[in-house]
Amino acid sequence: KIGAVEVAHTVEVRRAFEVEAARLAALRRTADDLAALDAALADREAAWRSGRLDAFVATDAVLHMAIVAAAHNPMLADLYASVGAAGFGPDLLPEEHVDHGRLVAAIRAGDPDRAAREAGRFLEPPSRA
């Protein structure tokens, strides 16, 4: 079992990778990338509605990998794949749902600043109170 410090470090690294990947994806995405993003987003939302944690975790990972792939930077993709998936609790709670539709829309619109902001929204660093 990993501790809170390791989780915080993982979130920080994922945030760095995902924000940059979203920014690059908005600049470099192709029609095929957009189709893959749309399909992955639809699958993720269907998995959420099903209430099956295993399906949601798998489809969430596919969506994030599709965003990284749309950045068209193989080194970034390799590094991102080495970090591991986000942690989810034992249940899919409505108040914990994070809409990734705005992120995909920003990539589709070719808006790197908005895409980076959207990617960063759901991986905020833990507060240090």
Side-chain angles (χ1 to χ4, degrees):
K1 184 173 180 173
I2 65 173
V5 172
E6 291 84 2
V7 169
H9 291 167
T10 300
V11 168
E12 290 169 354
V13 171
R14 283 193 64 218
R15 186 177 198 283
F17 288 163
E18 290 191 28
V19 168
E20 184 60 11
R23 189 185 75 74
L24 291 172
L27 295 170
R28 300 176 178 169
R29 83 279 187 270
T30 66
D32 287 343
D33 294 328
L34 292 174
L37 289 170
D38 289 341
L41 181 61
D43 289 347
R44 179 184 185 271
E45 293 305 306
W48 178 268
R49 288 188 304 274
S50 79
R52 289 188 40 233
L53 181 63
D54 59 336
F56 178 73
V57 169
T59 57
D60 184 68
V62 169
L63 174 60
H64 286 277
M65 288 303 298
I67 293 168
V68 173
H72 295 277
N73 181 322
M75 185 179 286
L76 179 61
D78 289 345
L79 289 169
Y80 182 77
S82 74
V83 172
F88 294 95
D91 298 306
L92 298 178
L93 303 174
E95 64 272 14
E96 294 177 359
H97 182 263
V98 177
D99 178 13
H100 285 22
R102 291 187 301 264
L103 171 56
V104 171
I107 293 169
R108 176 180 303 292
D111 187 334
D113 294 333
R114 194 174 89 200
R117 261 192 324 275
E118 288 297 333
R121 279 183 54 247
F122 55 87
L123 283 171
E124 289 300 321
S127 64
R128 302 194 193 274

